[in-house]
């Protein structure tokens, strides 16, 4: 599985098991009510696109996740 679009599915959280999908290149989570991401999200090292901002206004990222997002952006991942 390389692309996972969970946009507009009304989910409020992702399972910790999302981290086993290490071949994901695109993850779309827009227009949900996600408040926080599981720690395992940092295992998705092949992401080239992460769509999280739209529709998740209360999303909280840990400091480690913020560092991971910076790392992803440095290697060319598009975060929106």
């Amino acid at each position: 599985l390389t692309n996972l679009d969970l946009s507009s599915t009304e989910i409020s959280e992702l399972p910790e098991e999302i981290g086993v999908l290490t071949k994901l290149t695109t993850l779309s989570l827009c227009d949900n009510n996600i408040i926080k991401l599981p720690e395992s999200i940092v295992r998705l090292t092949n992401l080239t696109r992460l769509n999280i901002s739209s529709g998740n206004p209360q999303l909280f990222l840990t400091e480690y996740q913020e560092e991971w997002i910076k790392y992803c952006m440095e290697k060319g991942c598009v975060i929106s």
Side-chain angles (χ1 to χ4, degrees):
L1 183 65
T2 58
N3 297 303
L4 182 58
D5 187 351
L6 297 173
S7 300
S8 303
T9 56
E10 300 183 15
I11 59 173
S12 58
E13 63 183 72
L14 288 175
E16 195 66 39
E17 291 79 12
I18 192 80
V20 301
L21 302 175
T22 56
K23 295 187 189 291
L24 274 183
T25 58
T26 303
L27 178 58
S28 296
L29 303 171
C30 297
D31 299 319
N32 289 300
N33 293 313
I34 297 173
I35 296 171
K36 78 177 213 177
L37 297 173
E39 287 300 317
S40 66
I41 196 91
V42 300
R43 292 190 218 137
L44 305 181
T45 57
N46 288 312
L47 283 182
T48 57
R49 179 170 293 277
L50 176 60
N51 301 321
I52 56 173
S53 60
S54 175
N56 295 302
Q58 297 180 13
L59 180 62
F60 171 78
L61 297 174
T62 66
E63 185 176 333
Y64 187 59
Q65 289 170 337
E66 287 180 6
E67 290 298 317
W68 171 75
I69 285 179
K70 288 178 191 174
Y71 165 77
C72 287
M73 292 173 66
E74 288 172 0
K75 67 177 199 146
C77 182
V78 176
I79 311 282
S80 61

